[in-house]
Amino acid sequence: MRASANPTPDFQALFQSAPGLYLVLTPDLNIVAVSDAYLRATMTQREEILGRGIFDVFPDNPDDPSATGVRNLRASLLRVIQDKTPDTMAVQKYDIRKPESEGGGFEERFWSPVNSPVFGPDKGVVYIIHRVEDVTEFIRLKQQTLEQEKLAEKLRTHAGQMEAEIFQRAGEVQEANRRLEAANQALLRELSERKRAQEALTKSQKWLSTTLGSIGDAVIATDMNGAISFMNPVAESLTGWTQAEAAGTPMDLVFDIVNKETRRPVENPVKKVFREGKIVGLADHTILRSKSGKEFDIEDSAAPILTETGEAFGVVLVFRDITDKKLAEEETRRQKDLLQLILASVADGVVVADTAGKFLVFNAAAERFIGIGAIDASPERWSEQYGSFLPDGVTLFPAEELPLVRAMRGESVDAVELFIRNQHVPEGRLLSITGRPLKGEDGSLKGGVVVLHDITLEKRAQEALTRAKEEAERTSRFKDQFLSTMSHELRTPLNAVLGFSDLLADERYGPLNEKQRRYIDHIHTGGKHLLSLISDILDLSKIEAGRMELAIENLSVQGAFSEVLSVMQPLADKKSHALSAKAEAGFSVRADATRFKQILMNLIGNAIKFTPDGGRIELSGLLDGGRVRVEVKDNGPGIPDEEKKQIFEAFYRLRESGKKSEGTGLGLAITQRLVELHGEELSLNSQVGQGSCFYFSLPAAVSVREALGRKVETSSRGLGPQRILVIEDDRATAQLIHSQLSSAGYHVTLCDEPQKAVELAAQLQPNAITLDIVMKPKNGWEILIQLKRDPRTAQIPLIVVSMVDQPSMGTLLGADEYLVKPVDKMTLLGAIERHVRNHSKTKPGRSILIVEDDAPTREFIAEMLTTHGFAVTTAADGAQARAQVAAALPELVILDMMLPEVSGFELLGEWRASLRTAGLPVFVLTSKDLSHEEQSYLRTHAEALLRKQQPWHETLVKHIERVMAPSVAEKA
């Protein structure tokens, strides 16, 4: 510490905390808490100041026009709120109002304040702690010390005068000694008081020095000559000077500052304080250059250190390093500029508004879309001002439902369509708008943001695409309708031509001469060729249109090979070809049965056509891992390399030297596409003169039961389903018999109410009945008698299955067989099979009902079946068929699907829904192009599915012969 010639700075004006005196403020500067020490120091009562504004309680002294306490304190508190960092103020002269009980008015006080923020969970300032140190006594002691020094100087002068006059005033020695003693005592008291004050001052200085050394800001104090008298550690760090090095050094040398942009020296704030006598601060862009050459962005303030009388005796400079702050501000500014650039560059419009509806962002794209930029209007008027309509372009968009308004309310909206039309956008523009709430870091709602996407052209394109799609679908429907109509209208008369030409060729109606036979052969050959051509064209059209659907199932390879060979063998025989098939039993593939056989027939037919007479054609199926490779080989002339790709093109016909090309050129094209529909590839190996091999692979499947003699698509119902009526009141026994019969493929109906058995049997017309004897309320003997006496049920085979061992009684009453329980499964099944088989062969033949609207086809089928010994009746439409079945149940029905008035699907559905006709065998014979769903339905509800576009005459007769025996022809 320097002597009085170099006075110690008044640290009360520099330091920022005083232990014990606390005041807690809200961000709006209202007092919410106060310490007792603060109340005592300010002469206030807690209940009088809580809840009030700090400046209402502590105003400036109105009698002191130079008072700056309120202004300085308010500025410090606002800095705390804005910067969220503590703020230490210089010593302030802030007079305190005295209570009225003490005479009122204001009492002079000096304070050292520190203001610190208190943060909430969201990192925002929720309170400010205002801490002060009352340094009034310190200031006064300092002033007293100066007075005491003046008094001591006077005493020394007086003592000298007394010493010079001692000899002249001998008579006054005693009095002088007395006075000197009194003066000495007074001086001793004064020195003692001064010592105590000095000790208090030293203690206070030490405390304040320690506090100053721990604060975050840099502090430098100077004397009146601008020489440094104090530096805290932060100031040492920033300037590169130590306290010892800087003491007494001019401020300009230690505090070296320049303008960041011009690099020119900046006036030292200490000089400015000396000149202006007030608090000053640095301009922006000021750089502090440390002794080491390092540079810092700083901000500072400098203030004079004043005595009680207002006399300046030094300057205090407080500054801080804001390099990071400047970098953050620069980064924020750069990000803001980048954001503005992005917003100006993006193709979509972006609009942001706060919760009050004030636009914060309105980019160029948004203004271009809407035609109008940001306006000063309430959200209630936005629809009207901007011309916002619903997508219909007529109805004004409800203001409260605008996407931006909803986002401002905290809602999220996606792809809301809004139509804009105003004087700047007269043609209108359709926008798709997505909006989200705008939220702060604490999750509080700050407004809303929307992104506008112009979908006008997209919408027009979509509408045009929709119209084109609808037109294409309409054209496709017309094409489908045409194909369906042509399929029926062309195939139906061709079937009649082929059928009747077959009948004439059999010479059943008289012998034919050679010319007549040749003409009939021409008719038959031409009809078959035309039917094949029509089928190929329709198949190819369906494939190309993507309308051909596959019904994939587990398909026996051996069974399919057998069916295909039975059809193709006559063609092979005409050219003396050796046609063979090779496939191990049990091989199965995953394929569509109809299309798989069509592929094989096309390939074999192709081989038959091009292989010279006496050739060899082999069909084989080889298991290769989890796949079955199907091959069709021949020893024909082979295919040249240049034609190997062309042969799979539609309408391409292989050239044969010296021969006219036959066929349509569609067979291999259709075959290849059918294989591709199965997800596979049709390949070819061929060399000229060595034959050809067409091959493809299909996924292997679990082995399926061979359907011997199967030449048509059959359903899960099987051919001629056999229904058994089980009359048994014991539930366990009934379930056992049901299981045994069902496992053998029979359709079983249980009757556990004996009193209803006769009527149920008459209604169901089962193929056989099993009957228990011991039942209640009606025993089996009574039921047996009634069944055999009722003409509706008398011919139905009846097998007694009972614990009662009286077979002779059963035979006497008409039972066809008598089994005594317990009966094993094989015995029961053997009895059922014998009587069902014998009954179907010997019972009076019910007629076959032919339901066909095409008269020539209907007549041909009737004639063909009559020739084979079957009784037939016919119906020309669905209504007639419905009436005939209702009047008398036929043995079976041959049903076309395309019928006038009532379709074949409707009839089949009605018959399967009725208990009386649920078991009626139905063979579907149609030329209709069936969808996948229709095929699936017929497989489930019909016994057989035959297509008129394929060979069906012999197949139909063979299936009918399996179901029923021929009887006397009866044509109606």
Side-chain angles (χ1 to χ4, degrees):
M1 183 74 63
R2 294 181 183 274
S4 58
N6 192 13
T8 302
D10 185 2
F11 291 105
Q12 291 89 329
L14 307 176
F15 303 148
Q16 298 181 3
S17 81
L21 305 183
Y22 295 97
L23 194 65
V24 181
L25 305 174
T26 62
D28 54 1
L29 308 183
N30 287 331
I31 301 170
V32 295
V34 60
S35 68
D36 291 339
Y38 194 101
L39 292 171
R40 289 193 299 271
T42 58
M43 297 179 287
T44 55
Q45 298 295 322
R46 180 176 282 105
E47 61 273 14
E48 293 176 354
I49 68 172
L50 288 180
R52 296 176 59 190
I54 185 171
F55 301 118
D56 292 338
V57 178
F58 303 109
D60 276 334
N61 185 350
D63 298 329
D64 184 0
S66 63
T68 60
V70 170
R71 183 182 65 190
N72 295 340
L73 179 57
R74 187 189 302 275
S76 174
L77 294 173
L78 292 178
R79 282 197 299 274
V80 171
I81 295 173
Q82 180 179 352
D83 298 338
K84 299 182 181 181
T85 58
D87 190 89
T88 302
M89 299 178 63
V91 172
Q92 302 289 316
K93 180 179 180 299
Y94 205 132
D95 297 342
I96 297 300
R97 184 159 41 197
K98 295 193 293 185
E100 293 299 329
S101 59
E102 297 185 16
F106 283 77
E107 180 176 302
E108 184 182 61
R109 290 291 184 90
F110 292 86
W111 309 91
S112 176
V114 176
N115 300 306
S116 304
V118 177
F119 299 106
D122 59 351
K123 306 303 182 182
V125 177
V126 294
Y127 297 104
I128 302 172
I129 298 177
H130 174 60
R131 186 182 68 182
V132 297
E133 174 73 18
D134 186 350
V135 296
T136 305
E137 291 300 322
F138 177 77
I139 295 297
R140 289 175 179 170
L141 285 174
K142 181 63 177 176
Q143 293 171 345
Q144 288 175 3
T145 299
L146 294 175
E147 293 297 324
Q148 288 172 358
E149 288 178 351
K150 292 178 182 179
L151 179 59
E153 184 62 29
K154 289 179 182 179
L155 288 175
R156 282 192 295 271
T157 301
H158 182 65
Q161 292 173 350
M162 288 178 64
E163 191 175 29
E165 295 175 358
I166 192 170
F167 296 104
Q168 297 177 5
R169 300 181 181 181
E172 300 175 358
V173 171
Q174 186 175 359
E175 181 63 25
N177 285 336
R178 185 184 64 77
R179 291 180 179 179
L180 181 60
E181 180 66 24
N184 286 335
Q185 290 298 323
L187 179 60
L188 287 173
R189 286 194 300 272
E190 290 176 1
L191 291 174
S192 179
E193 288 296 326
R194 178 181 176 185
K195 183 178 180 181
R196 284 195 297 271
Q198 187 65 40
E199 290 174 351
L201 179 59
T202 301
K203 182 178 180 182
S204 177
Q205 288 175 342
K206 184 176 181 181
W207 181 86
L208 291 173
S209 178
T210 303
T211 303
L212 184 61
S214 63
I215 66 174
D217 289 343
V219 180
I220 299 178
T222 72
D223 57 20
M224 289 302 293
N225 296 319
I228 293 176
S229 60
F230 174 82
M231 294 179 69
N232 74 345
V234 179
E236 291 180 330
S237 174
L238 293 179
T239 62
W241 291 73
T242 64
Q243 166 76 35
E245 292 173 337
T249 304
M251 185 69 165
D252 285 340
L253 186 60
V254 176
F255 193 67
D256 181 15
I257 53 178
V258 296
N259 184 281
K260 184 176 183 180
E261 296 177 351
T262 66
R263 308 303 295 182
R264 292 182 178 179
V266 174
E267 182 182 16
N268 197 297
V270 173
K271 293 181 179 179
K272 196 171 182 180
V273 170
F274 285 147
R275 184 176 68 251
E276 298 180 3
K278 62 180 182 180
I279 298 175
V280 298
L282 286 175
D284 288 340
H285 314 299
T286 301
I287 294 292
L288 171 64
R289 298 190 295 194
S290 72
K291 187 178 180 181
S292 63
K294 191 174 182 182
E295 296 184 348
F296 302 93
D297 285 284
I298 62 167
E299 62 180 9
D300 79 346
S301 65
I305 304 174
L306 304 175
T307 64
E308 266 187 352
T309 60
E311 182 182 356
F313 60 88
V315 175
V316 60
L317 175 69
V318 180
F319 59 99
R320 63 172 60 95
D321 178 10
I322 60 169
T323 303
D324 291 340
K325 178 182 176 183
K326 285 289 185 180
L327 291 174
E329 290 175 351
E330 182 64 27
E331 179 62 21
T332 301
R333 186 163 47 254
R334 192 186 69 81
Q335 292 289 347
K336 184 177 180 181
D337 292 343
L338 178 61
L339 178 60
Q340 291 298 328
L341 182 61
I342 291 172
L343 289 175
S345 303
V346 294
D348 286 341
V350 179
V351 179
V352 182
D354 61 19
T355 53
K358 180 182 178 182
F359 290 112
L360 305 177
V361 174
F362 210 109
N363 76 340
E367 186 169 348
R368 185 174 66 255
F369 290 164
I370 301 175
I372 304 172
I375 60 175
D376 186 12
S378 63
E380 292 80 9
R381 299 185 57 204
W382 284 352
S383 286
E384 179 183 350
Q385 293 288 316
Y386 284 109
S388 304
F389 298 88
L390 293 176
D392 61 13
V394 177
T395 309
L396 201 65
F397 208 106
E400 68 278 4
E401 293 301 318
L402 286 169
L404 181 54
V405 175
R406 291 176 59 187
M408 288 159 51
R409 292 200 300 262
E411 300 179 34
S412 292
V413 293
D414 292 289
V416 174
E417 293 187 358
L418 182 148
F419 187 77
I420 291 291
R421 185 175 58 246
N422 52 51
Q423 60 181 351
H424 302 288
V425 190
E427 297 298 324
R429 181 174 282 115
L430 187 63
L431 303 178
S432 176
I433 304 178
T434 298
R436 292 292 184 272
L438 189 65
K439 296 184 178 181
E441 293 182 358
D442 58 353
S444 61
L445 185 63
K446 302 296 184 182
V449 56
V450 291
V451 177
L452 290 64
H453 181 62
D454 184 0
I455 60 171
T456 307
L457 296 179
E458 180 181 332
K459 201 71 173 181
R460 290 173 184 168
Q462 184 178 357
E463 291 172 355
L465 184 62
T466 301
R467 288 193 298 271
K469 181 183 178 184
E470 291 173 352
E471 181 63 25
E473 290 175 348
R474 187 172 69 88
T475 303
S476 179
R477 286 195 299 271
F478 287 158
K479 180 180 178 182
D480 292 347
Q481 184 178 359
F482 171 77
L483 291 176
S484 177
T485 302
M486 292 303 294
S487 174
H488 183 264
E489 296 301 326
L490 291 177
R491 286 170 174 166
T492 298
L494 280 174
N495 272 295
V497 170
L498 293 173
F500 283 113
S501 64
D502 279 341
L503 291 178
L504 291 174
D506 287 343
E507 299 186 354
R508 294 175 183 173
Y509 305 100
L512 301 174
N513 59 40
E514 187 62 30
K515 181 181 288 187
Q516 290 172 332
R517 181 175 296 281
R518 188 169 66 253
Y519 288 170
I520 288 174
D521 286 344
H522 289 333
I523 292 171
H524 191 76
T525 302
K528 288 179 64 178
H529 179 73
L530 185 57
L531 181 61
S532 174
L533 175 61
I534 292 170
S535 297
D536 285 348
I537 292 175
L538 293 175
D539 280 347
L540 184 61
S541 298
K542 287 197 296 182
I543 294 173
E544 296 295 346
R547 295 189 303 103
M548 180 166 285
E549 300 174 345
L550 302 183
I552 303 299
E553 59 180 302
N554 290 359
L555 185 65
S556 165
V557 175
Q558 193 175 57
F561 282 9
S562 176
E563 292 182 34
V564 170
L565 260 62
S566 68
V567 175
M568 303 305 294
Q569 188 64 57
L571 295 178
D573 292 343
K574 288 181 180 181
K575 296 187 68 174
S576 302
H577 289 322
L579 179 60
S580 63
K582 179 176 65 177
E584 293 185 19
F587 276 12
S588 299
V589 292
R590 295 286 296 163
D592 180 289
T594 301
R595 301 306 171 187
F596 179 61
K597 287 178 282 187
Q598 183 178 354
I599 292 169
L600 299 181
M601 286 190 286
N602 282 354
L603 293 175
I604 294 175
N606 196 63
I608 291 173
K609 181 192 302 184
F610 290 101
T611 301
D613 293 355
R616 184 177 66 257
I617 301 170
E618 180 180 314
L619 173 63
S620 62
L622 308 173
L623 186 62
D624 182 12
R627 305 176 66 78
V628 174
R629 175 175 165 129
V630 180
E631 297 181 350
V632 176
K633 296 180 181 178
D634 63 60
N635 63 345
I639 301 171
D641 292 340
E642 63 271 14
E643 294 191 69
K644 285 182 179 179
K645 290 185 178 180
Q646 293 175 297
I647 62 172
F648 293 107
E649 297 176 2
F651 303 107
Y652 181 81
R653 294 184 293 181
L654 189 65
R655 296 189 298 271
E656 292 183 272
S657 177
K659 293 185 179 180
K660 180 181 178 181
S661 298
E662 297 181 359
T664 62
L666 293 175
L668 286 178
I670 292 173
T671 302
Q672 183 186 48
R673 286 162 175 76
L674 289 176
V675 173
E676 290 172 350
L677 282 177
H678 283 79
E680 305 298 336
E681 181 180 357
L682 179 62
S683 301
L684 167 66
N685 285 332
S686 180
Q687 292 185 3
V688 176
Q690 298 185 19
S692 303
C693 175
F694 290 88
Y695 62 93
F696 61 94
S697 296
L698 291 172
V702 180
S703 176
V704 296
R705 182 179 177 182
E706 298 294 337
L708 296 177
R710 184 174 182 266
K711 295 186 182 180
V712 295
E713 297 176 64
T714 61
S715 73
S716 59
R717 296 172 54 83
L719 295 174
Q722 309 298 325
R723 184 179 297 278
I724 310 299
L725 175 62
V726 176
I727 306 172
E728 172 66 71
D729 65 345
D730 181 72
R731 184 173 297 275
T733 303
Q735 288 298 328
L736 175 61
I737 296 175
H738 182 283
S739 299
Q740 291 173 335
L741 297 179
S742 296
S743 65
Y746 293 106
H747 292 188
V748 181
T749 300
L750 296 179
C751 176
D752 58 0
E753 297 179 273
Q755 67 274 20
K756 298 181 180 180
V758 176
E759 285 303 317
L760 183 59
Q763 186 178 17
L764 285 180
Q765 289 294 304
N767 297 90
I769 298 173
T770 69
L771 174 67
D772 189 18
I773 298 299
V774 182
M775 295 186 294
K776 293 181 180 180
K778 207 172 194 179
N779 65 49
W781 301 123
E782 297 177 69
I783 297 171
L784 175 57
I785 293 171
Q786 290 179 357
L787 288 171
K788 290 304 178 181
R789 288 181 178 177
D790 192 321
R792 298 175 298 172
T793 58
Q795 300 301 320
I796 301 175
L798 192 149
I799 303 164
V800 174
V801 182
S802 176
M803 295 290 293
V804 179
D805 188 6
Q806 296 183 15
S808 57
M809 176 65 74
T811 302
L812 181 64
L813 294 178
D816 293 277
E817 190 155 343
Y818 200 105
L819 302 177
V820 179
K821 297 178 181 177
V823 181
D824 62 68
K825 178 179 178 180
M826 298 310 298
T827 301
L828 175 63
L829 292 178
I832 293 291
E833 184 177 358
R834 280 194 304 276
H835 292 287
V836 168
R837 183 175 63 251
N838 293 336
H839 175 65
S840 64
K841 290 180 178 179
T842 59
K843 67 180 179 179
R846 291 176 289 174
S847 63
I848 298 173
L849 175 60
I850 302 170
V851 186
E852 170 63 63
D853 64 324
D854 181 65
T857 303
R858 184 172 65 250
E859 183 180 355
F860 167 71
I861 297 173
E863 184 68 27
M864 181 181 67
L865 296 182
T866 301
T867 302
H868 283 80
F870 294 104
V872 298
T873 58
T874 62
D877 56 47
Q880 291 182 17
R882 179 189 285 160
Q884 291 189 36
V885 172
L889 203 64
E891 188 68 31
L892 63 82
V893 177
I894 298 173
L895 180 64
D896 188 15
M897 291 289 101
M898 302 174 68
L899 299 172
E901 297 187 26
V902 182
S903 74
F905 286 103
E906 292 180 73
L907 287 176
L908 186 58
E910 292 176 5
W911 291 338
R912 292 301 177 239
S914 170
L915 196 60
R916 174 174 174 269
T917 55
L920 175 64
V922 176
F923 289 3
V924 172
L925 175 62
T926 184
S927 61
K928 186 180 189 304
D929 286 327
L930 300 171
S931 67
H932 175 71
E933 291 75 14
E934 290 172 335
Q935 292 183 50
S936 178
Y937 178 83
L938 293 179
R939 287 192 183 94
T940 303
H941 297 286
E943 278 61 45
L945 172 60
L946 298 95
R947 300 174 186 270
K948 292 179 181 177
Q949 56 265 45
Q950 297 174 352
W952 57 269
H953 305 162
E954 294 182 7
T955 304
L956 176 63
V957 172
K958 289 180 180 179
H959 280 301
I960 293 175
E961 288 176 344
R962 291 195 190 101
V963 177
M964 56 185 291
S967 62
V968 178
E970 186 178 291
K971 181 179 177 181

